[in-house]
Amino acid sequence: MGEIHQFPKTAEEQEAERQLTEAMHTFNVAIKHAVQCGFEIELRPGTWSFTTYTDMPVPYIDFTARLSGRHV
């Protein structure tokens, strides 16, 4: 079996990875705090189909946060 050698990431790729990791950590902390304060959280995955920078759909997460018993 052959060995797998990964190419080093560019500075731009490293920064994108760092930003994504930081954003996900911040998002998870915010969700946890909102739930502790009584919010009901609903997450919905989606995709942006029309982008100019890739042929593939780009995933995103949409969410709703509402307090129990307080529906508009």
Side-chain angles (χ1 to χ4, degrees):
M1 183 179 276
E3 294 182 33
I4 298 174
H5 297 279
Q6 292 189 350
F7 292 100
K9 294 177 185 145
T10 65
E12 185 177 23
E13 291 166 338
Q14 289 175 10
E15 179 62 12
E17 184 177 52
R18 184 197 67 73
Q19 287 180 356
L20 184 58
T21 300
E22 182 180 318
M24 289 308 302
H25 174 75
T26 301
F27 181 75
N28 288 332
V29 168
I31 293 291
K32 181 179 177 182
H33 186 234
V35 170
Q36 289 171 340
C37 291
F39 282 88
E40 296 173 354
I41 307 296
E42 177 187 346
L43 299 176
R44 294 176 302 279
T47 56
W48 284 305
S49 298
F50 304 103
T51 61
T52 58
Y53 45 86
T54 180
D55 293 334
M56 300 291 293
V58 177
Y60 71 92
I61 298 172
D62 190 17
F63 71 95
T64 302
R66 60 181 89 70
L67 288 170
S68 295
R70 295 188 198 179
H71 300 285
V72 177

